[in-house]
Amino acid sequence: MTDFPTLSWPDTDGPRTVRWRSEAGVPAPKRVVIADDTTTADAAYRLACEGTALLWRGDFQNARQLLQAMARRAERKPKKGAPKPPATPLEAFHQHRQAQAQRARTLGMVLLPIEGDYEIALRRAPDAKLACEEAWGPSTGEPSAVSLRELLGLIGAHEWRKKGVPIPALGGAHVHPYYGVFSPVRGEYLDLIARVPLPSQEKAFDIGTGTGVIAAVLAARGVKQVVATDQDARALACARENLDRLGYGERVEVVEADLFPAGRAPLVVCNPPWVPARPASPIEYAVFDPDSRMLRGFLGGLKDHLEPGGEGWLILSDFAEHLGLRTREALVEMIVEAGLEVAGREDIRPRHPKASDPTDPLYRARAAEMTSLWRLKVRKD
Ligand SMILES: C[S@@+](CC[C@H](N)C(=O)[O-])C[C@H]1O[C@@H](n2cnc3c(N)ncnc32)[C@H](O)[C@@H]1O
């Protein structure tokens, strides 16, 4: 008996079964055929659309090209039966997510065998051992299979982790995101955290720290003691490494907690995921907050974790409002229901390239988006 999912296929020398890896928890495909350099993109795309996976046995670089060719086919607009153009931003959002899910399903059908030591035994394959180790932990010796698309994601994440993301609010110092940890590539909210006057320099909490970047900005501003929390093991390890590397390891304590650490602080900061929708995979929990769980939890707990006169800083973009997924009134109501009041708000426009790309399906909402730092205080009734 194994305690992990498996993938089976009829190989040339008999049936084979190996461990199946999918970060998103996608079940192992039931129908698997062997594919190689002779497989055409049309045939591969047709099989993938029908739900048949292709276990690749050819040249690695050819597999990449095949995947690109399949992606171009997935991009093509159907001649007949094209969906009606969305009438509202909310419809556009749902259509976009559906299309993304369909695309992920189809392109996830090209599979690679991975050896027990994470070697990819294919011609012209890269050495992805470190990337696999960073995402999956040390190899345990058993062979496995993963989709090529997922493996390319791991390799991309490894490169980001190596290179790091420059943070203007830290004077250009880099943070190095781990695979699966929210990457602060959209740094505008950090500029807000760097410029809004601090209510105190004694102590702060950073709730849901991810890479540790907000804790680092607070420490760089002279906050003497920061407690940073997260629930995700990769985030906790990532934050600890970044904070040590940046020289704040002594002043920032990284702890595993569901939202708040014990005690109170004069400043409690949180950047919850901005979109109240169901994540399609665990990795999307950094972007999607189902039923605004983290947002409500943060607002609801602030009263019990702020020192008298302290401030809660909520970082939130209004993207969800432009999509019709949340109203401003509902947000304000959540704040009031939590016994809080708004002491001030600082806004900043996103700088990311999609905001100025009219071909992006969510362009209307992206172009109108504003990111805010809400300064919240406990209401004195
Ligand atoms: C949008 S990311 C923000 C990360 C980081 N603070 C930043 O601004 O780059 C939200 C983070 O909250 C963490 N998180 C989600 N739910 C949590 C909870 N209940 N308690 C602690 N952390 C949580 C996630 O693991 C993720 O790292």
mmCIF file of all heavy atoms in Angstrom, residues 233-266:
data_model
loop_
_atom_site.group_PDB
_atom_site.id
_atom_site.type_symbol
_atom_site.label_atom_id
_atom_site.label_comp_id
_atom_site.label_asym_id
_atom_site.label_seq_id
_atom_site.Cartn_x
_atom_site.Cartn_y
_atom_site.Cartn_z
ATOM 1 N N ALA A 233 4.080 25.865 5.580
ATOM 2 C CA ALA A 233 5.453 25.476 5.941
ATOM 3 C C ALA A 233 6.487 26.123 5.013
ATOM 4 O O ALA A 233 7.547 26.570 5.456
ATOM 5 C CB ALA A 233 5.581 23.961 5.894
ATOM 6 N N ARG A 234 6.161 26.180 3.711
ATOM 7 C CA ARG A 234 7.137 26.776 2.776
ATOM 8 C C ARG A 234 7.312 28.263 3.074
ATOM 9 O O ARG A 234 8.425 28.797 3.013
ATOM 10 C CB ARG A 234 6.659 26.613 1.338
ATOM 11 C CG ARG A 234 6.797 25.205 0.803
ATOM 12 C CD ARG A 234 6.227 25.169 -0.593
ATOM 13 N NE ARG A 234 6.294 23.851 -1.192
ATOM 14 C CZ ARG A 234 5.372 23.366 -2.000
ATOM 15 N NH1 ARG A 234 4.304 24.072 -2.301
ATOM 16 N NH2 ARG A 234 5.506 22.167 -2.523
ATOM 17 N N ALA A 235 6.195 28.944 3.381
ATOM 18 C CA ALA A 235 6.270 30.383 3.673
ATOM 19 C C ALA A 235 7.109 30.610 4.930
ATOM 20 O O ALA A 235 7.957 31.513 4.960
ATOM 21 C CB ALA A 235 4.867 30.965 3.847
ATOM 22 N N LEU A 236 6.899 29.788 5.950
ATOM 23 C CA LEU A 236 7.647 29.982 7.206
ATOM 24 C C LEU A 236 9.149 29.833 6.958
ATOM 25 O O LEU A 236 9.940 30.668 7.403
ATOM 26 C CB LEU A 236 7.162 28.969 8.252
ATOM 27 C CG LEU A 236 5.723 29.213 8.761
ATOM 28 C CD1 LEU A 236 5.180 27.971 9.473
ATOM 29 C CD2 LEU A 236 5.670 30.414 9.689
ATOM 30 N N ALA A 237 9.513 28.803 6.204
ATOM 31 C CA ALA A 237 10.942 28.580 5.927
ATOM 32 C C ALA A 237 11.492 29.712 5.065
ATOM 33 O O ALA A 237 12.597 30.213 5.283
ATOM 34 C CB ALA A 237 11.131 27.240 5.223
ATOM 35 N N CYS A 238 10.694 30.138 4.097
ATOM 36 C CA CYS A 238 11.113 31.192 3.166
ATOM 37 C C CYS A 238 11.307 32.519 3.906
ATOM 38 O O CYS A 238 12.311 33.211 3.721
ATOM 39 C CB CYS A 238 10.031 31.312 2.085
ATOM 40 S SG CYS A 238 10.287 32.624 0.913
ATOM 41 N N ALA A 239 10.341 32.856 4.774
ATOM 42 C CA ALA A 239 10.433 34.120 5.517
ATOM 43 C C ALA A 239 11.670 34.107 6.412
ATOM 44 O O ALA A 239 12.425 35.089 6.461
ATOM 45 C CB ALA A 239 9.168 34.327 6.355
ATOM 46 N N ARG A 240 11.902 32.989 7.090
ATOM 47 C CA ARG A 240 13.074 32.915 7.994
ATOM 48 C C ARG A 240 14.357 33.144 7.201
ATOM 49 O O ARG A 240 15.215 33.924 7.605
ATOM 50 C CB ARG A 240 13.126 31.544 8.686
ATOM 51 C CG ARG A 240 12.062 31.436 9.758
ATOM 52 C CD ARG A 240 12.246 30.201 10.656
ATOM 53 N NE ARG A 240 11.112 30.143 11.557
ATOM 54 C CZ ARG A 240 10.152 29.209 11.502
ATOM 55 N NH1 ARG A 240 10.219 28.231 10.620
ATOM 56 N NH2 ARG A 240 9.133 29.244 12.343
ATOM 57 N N GLU A 241 14.451 32.499 6.034
ATOM 58 C CA GLU A 241 15.693 32.635 5.257
ATOM 59 C C GLU A 241 15.868 34.074 4.764
ATOM 60 O O GLU A 241 16.947 34.647 4.859
ATOM 61 C CB GLU A 241 15.687 31.664 4.077
ATOM 62 C CG GLU A 241 17.026 31.638 3.375
ATOM 63 C CD GLU A 241 17.039 30.723 2.165
ATOM 64 O OE1 GLU A 241 16.728 29.536 2.299
ATOM 65 O OE2 GLU A 241 17.358 31.232 1.069
ATOM 66 N N ASN A 242 14.774 34.667 4.249
ATOM 67 C CA ASN A 242 14.889 36.044 3.738
ATOM 68 C C ASN A 242 15.262 37.025 4.846
ATOM 69 O O ASN A 242 16.104 37.905 4.654
ATOM 70 C CB ASN A 242 13.572 36.479 3.105
ATOM 71 C CG ASN A 242 13.439 35.970 1.683
ATOM 72 O OD1 ASN A 242 14.349 36.137 0.882
ATOM 73 N ND2 ASN A 242 12.319 35.344 1.376
ATOM 74 N N LEU A 243 14.608 36.875 6.007
ATOM 75 C CA LEU A 243 14.851 37.835 7.089
ATOM 76 C C LEU A 243 16.277 37.699 7.618
ATOM 77 O O LEU A 243 16.937 38.705 7.897
ATOM 78 C CB LEU A 243 13.790 37.664 8.181
ATOM 79 C CG LEU A 243 12.419 38.159 7.681
ATOM 80 C CD1 LEU A 243 11.270 37.523 8.435
ATOM 81 C CD2 LEU A 243 12.335 39.687 7.752
ATOM 82 N N ASP A 244 16.772 36.469 7.675
ATOM 83 C CA ASP A 244 18.171 36.263 8.096
ATOM 84 C C ASP A 244 19.118 36.896 7.085
ATOM 85 O O ASP A 244 20.038 37.614 7.425
ATOM 86 C CB ASP A 244 18.491 34.763 8.193
ATOM 87 C CG ASP A 244 17.970 34.172 9.498
ATOM 88 O OD1 ASP A 244 17.643 34.950 10.417
ATOM 89 O OD2 ASP A 244 17.855 32.938 9.580
ATOM 90 N N ARG A 245 18.841 36.627 5.814
ATOM 91 C CA ARG A 245 19.699 37.135 4.743
ATOM 92 C C ARG A 245 19.743 38.666 4.736
ATOM 93 O O ARG A 245 20.769 39.271 4.466
ATOM 94 C CB ARG A 245 19.164 36.618 3.416
ATOM 95 C CG ARG A 245 20.128 36.745 2.258
ATOM 96 C CD ARG A 245 19.416 36.637 0.944
ATOM 97 N NE ARG A 245 18.763 35.352 0.744
ATOM 98 C CZ ARG A 245 19.106 34.477 -0.194
ATOM 99 N NH1 ARG A 245 20.105 34.715 -0.976
ATOM 100 N NH2 ARG A 245 18.422 33.363 -0.345
ATOM 101 N N LEU A 246 18.571 39.274 5.049
ATOM 102 C CA LEU A 246 18.503 40.740 5.044
ATOM 103 C C LEU A 246 19.056 41.348 6.335
ATOM 104 O O LEU A 246 19.124 42.570 6.486
ATOM 105 C CB LEU A 246 17.052 41.196 4.848
ATOM 106 C CG LEU A 246 16.453 40.923 3.460
ATOM 107 C CD1 LEU A 246 14.937 41.070 3.491
ATOM 108 C CD2 LEU A 246 17.052 41.860 2.414
ATOM 109 N N GLY A 247 19.390 40.486 7.286
ATOM 110 C CA GLY A 247 19.983 40.969 8.536
ATOM 111 C C GLY A 247 18.953 41.343 9.590
ATOM 112 O O GLY A 247 19.277 42.046 10.555
ATOM 113 N N TYR A 248 17.700 40.878 9.438
ATOM 114 C CA TYR A 248 16.665 41.209 10.430
ATOM 115 C C TYR A 248 16.276 40.005 11.282
ATOM 116 O O TYR A 248 15.279 40.043 12.003
ATOM 117 C CB TYR A 248 15.413 41.768 9.742
ATOM 118 C CG TYR A 248 15.680 43.017 8.933
ATOM 119 C CD1 TYR A 248 15.332 43.101 7.590
ATOM 120 C CD2 TYR A 248 16.305 44.116 9.530
ATOM 121 C CE1 TYR A 248 15.591 44.247 6.842
ATOM 122 C CE2 TYR A 248 16.581 45.259 8.783
ATOM 123 C CZ TYR A 248 16.219 45.300 7.436
ATOM 124 O OH TYR A 248 16.485 46.429 6.721
ATOM 125 N N GLY A 249 17.028 38.926 11.169
ATOM 126 C CA GLY A 249 16.694 37.683 11.868
ATOM 127 C C GLY A 249 16.565 37.869 13.377
ATOM 128 O O GLY A 249 15.778 37.183 14.021
ATOM 129 N N GLU A 250 17.337 38.788 13.932
ATOM 130 C CA GLU A 250 17.311 39.000 15.382
ATOM 131 C C GLU A 250 16.042 39.732 15.820
ATOM 132 O O GLU A 250 15.520 39.508 16.890
ATOM 133 C CB GLU A 250 18.509 39.877 15.799
ATOM 134 C CG GLU A 250 19.838 39.272 15.486
ATOM 135 C CD GLU A 250 20.273 38.312 16.572
ATOM 136 O OE1 GLU A 250 20.635 38.786 17.650
ATOM 137 O OE2 GLU A 250 20.217 37.077 16.321
ATOM 138 N N ARG A 251 15.600 40.635 14.943
ATOM 139 C CA ARG A 251 14.466 41.482 15.346
ATOM 140 C C ARG A 251 13.116 40.916 14.939
ATOM 141 O O ARG A 251 12.083 41.357 15.436
ATOM 142 C CB ARG A 251 14.634 42.876 14.721
ATOM 143 C CG ARG A 251 15.313 43.825 15.680
ATOM 144 C CD ARG A 251 15.237 45.214 15.194
ATOM 145 N NE ARG A 251 16.059 45.449 14.031
ATOM 146 C CZ ARG A 251 15.836 46.406 13.139
ATOM 147 N NH1 ARG A 251 14.775 47.181 13.278
ATOM 148 N NH2 ARG A 251 16.633 46.581 12.117
ATOM 149 N N VAL A 252 13.114 40.005 13.979
ATOM 150 C CA VAL A 252 11.838 39.440 13.507
ATOM 151 C C VAL A 252 11.748 37.973 13.904
ATOM 152 O O VAL A 252 12.610 37.173 13.555
ATOM 153 C CB VAL A 252 11.683 39.565 11.977
ATOM 154 C CG1 VAL A 252 10.302 39.054 11.560
ATOM 155 C CG2 VAL A 252 11.882 40.990 11.507
ATOM 156 N N GLU A 253 10.693 37.649 14.618
ATOM 157 C CA GLU A 253 10.453 36.258 14.980
ATOM 158 C C GLU A 253 9.378 35.723 14.038
ATOM 159 O O GLU A 253 8.322 36.344 13.907
ATOM 160 C CB GLU A 253 9.961 36.217 16.434
ATOM 161 C CG GLU A 253 9.887 34.824 16.993
ATOM 162 C CD GLU A 253 9.140 34.782 18.330
ATOM 163 O OE1 GLU A 253 8.736 35.857 18.824
ATOM 164 O OE2 GLU A 253 8.936 33.697 18.841
ATOM 165 N N VAL A 254 9.662 34.605 13.375
ATOM 166 C CA VAL A 254 8.690 34.015 12.448
ATOM 167 C C VAL A 254 8.032 32.835 13.151
ATOM 168 O O VAL A 254 8.727 31.904 13.571
ATOM 169 C CB VAL A 254 9.381 33.546 11.149
ATOM 170 C CG1 VAL A 254 8.377 32.914 10.199
ATOM 171 C CG2 VAL A 254 10.089 34.719 10.464
ATOM 172 N N VAL A 255 6.716 32.885 13.322
ATOM 173 C CA VAL A 255 6.046 31.806 14.064
ATOM 174 C C VAL A 255 4.886 31.226 13.257
ATOM 175 O O VAL A 255 4.233 31.933 12.491
ATOM 176 C CB VAL A 255 5.516 32.276 15.447
ATOM 177 C CG1 VAL A 255 6.629 32.781 16.343
ATOM 178 C CG2 VAL A 255 4.440 33.333 15.309
ATOM 179 N N GLU A 256 4.643 29.948 13.464
ATOM 180 C CA GLU A 256 3.499 29.303 12.825
ATOM 181 C C GLU A 256 2.269 29.629 13.655
ATOM 182 O O GLU A 256 2.239 29.380 14.865
ATOM 183 C CB GLU A 256 3.721 27.786 12.785
ATOM 184 C CG GLU A 256 2.576 27.075 12.112
ATOM 185 C CD GLU A 256 2.837 25.592 11.922
ATOM 186 O OE1 GLU A 256 3.935 25.115 12.231
ATOM 187 O OE2 GLU A 256 1.891 24.925 11.455
ATOM 188 N N ALA A 257 1.285 30.240 13.031
ATOM 189 C CA ALA A 257 0.048 30.568 13.750
ATOM 190 C C ALA A 257 -1.085 30.741 12.753
ATOM 191 O O ALA A 257 -0.860 31.101 11.595
ATOM 192 C CB ALA A 257 0.231 31.866 14.555
ATOM 193 N N ASP A 258 -2.286 30.445 13.218
ATOM 194 C CA ASP A 258 -3.474 30.747 12.428
ATOM 195 C C ASP A 258 -3.775 32.228 12.693
ATOM 196 O O ASP A 258 -4.235 32.575 13.780
ATOM 197 C CB ASP A 258 -4.626 29.838 12.888
ATOM 198 C CG ASP A 258 -5.889 30.080 12.077
ATOM 199 O OD1 ASP A 258 -5.854 30.910 11.148
ATOM 200 O OD2 ASP A 258 -6.915 29.454 12.381
ATOM 201 N N LEU A 259 -3.434 33.052 11.763
ATOM 202 C CA LEU A 259 -3.537 34.516 11.839
ATOM 203 C C LEU A 259 -2.627 35.116 12.911
ATOM 204 O O LEU A 259 -1.467 35.355 12.643
ATOM 205 C CB LEU A 259 -4.994 34.950 12.030
ATOM 206 C CG LEU A 259 -5.923 34.592 10.859
ATOM 207 C CD1 LEU A 259 -7.379 34.882 11.214
ATOM 208 C CD2 LEU A 259 -5.533 35.349 9.589
ATOM 209 N N PHE A 260 -3.142 35.358 14.139
ATOM 210 C CA PHE A 260 -2.399 36.180 15.099
ATOM 211 C C PHE A 260 -1.478 35.360 16.000
ATOM 212 O O PHE A 260 -1.840 34.250 16.397
ATOM 213 C CB PHE A 260 -3.391 36.927 15.996
ATOM 214 C CG PHE A 260 -4.285 37.850 15.237
ATOM 215 C CD1 PHE A 260 -5.525 37.412 14.784
ATOM 216 C CD2 PHE A 260 -3.909 39.156 14.951
ATOM 217 C CE1 PHE A 260 -6.366 38.254 14.065
ATOM 218 C CE2 PHE A 260 -4.741 39.997 14.232
ATOM 219 C CZ PHE A 260 -5.965 39.549 13.787
ATOM 220 N N PRO A 261 -0.339 35.946 16.386
ATOM 221 C CA PRO A 261 0.450 35.316 17.446
ATOM 222 C C PRO A 261 -0.177 35.697 18.790
ATOM 223 O O PRO A 261 -1.122 36.495 18.827
ATOM 224 C CB PRO A 261 1.824 35.965 17.273
ATOM 225 C CG PRO A 261 1.540 37.316 16.721
ATOM 226 C CD PRO A 261 0.270 37.202 15.908
ATOM 227 N N ALA A 262 0.364 35.170 19.872
ATOM 228 C CA ALA A 262 -0.162 35.523 21.192
ATOM 229 C C ALA A 262 0.160 36.987 21.494
ATOM 230 O O ALA A 262 1.142 37.531 20.992
ATOM 231 C CB ALA A 262 0.478 34.620 22.243
ATOM 232 N N GLY A 263 -0.664 37.621 22.286
ATOM 233 C CA GLY A 263 -0.363 38.965 22.773
ATOM 234 C C GLY A 263 -0.926 40.076 21.910
ATOM 235 O O GLY A 263 -1.780 39.846 21.039
ATOM 236 N N ARG A 264 -0.433 41.279 22.167
ATOM 237 C CA ARG A 264 -0.922 42.468 21.465
ATOM 238 C C ARG A 264 0.258 43.279 20.942
ATOM 239 O O ARG A 264 1.384 43.142 21.447
ATOM 240 C CB ARG A 264 -1.721 43.369 22.436
ATOM 241 C CG ARG A 264 -3.018 42.742 22.907
ATOM 242 C CD ARG A 264 -3.727 43.653 23.903
ATOM 243 N NE ARG A 264 -4.934 43.009 24.405
ATOM 244 C CZ ARG A 264 -6.155 43.205 23.908
ATOM 245 N NH1 ARG A 264 -6.348 44.052 22.915
ATOM 246 N NH2 ARG A 264 -7.191 42.577 24.424
ATOM 247 N N ALA A 265 -0.030 44.130 19.977
ATOM 248 C CA ALA A 265 1.012 45.022 19.448
ATOM 249 C C ALA A 265 0.360 46.350 19.062
ATOM 250 O O ALA A 265 -0.837 46.394 18.774
ATOM 251 C CB ALA A 265 1.680 44.384 18.230
ATOM 252 N N PRO A 266 1.159 47.425 19.030
ATOM 253 C CA PRO A 266 0.589 48.718 18.632
ATOM 254 C C PRO A 266 0.372 48.824 17.117
ATOM 255 O O PRO A 266 -0.271 49.759 16.651
ATOM 256 C CB PRO A 266 1.631 49.725 19.108
ATOM 257 C CG PRO A 266 2.903 48.953 19.252
ATOM 258 C CD PRO A 266 2.535 47.528 19.514
#
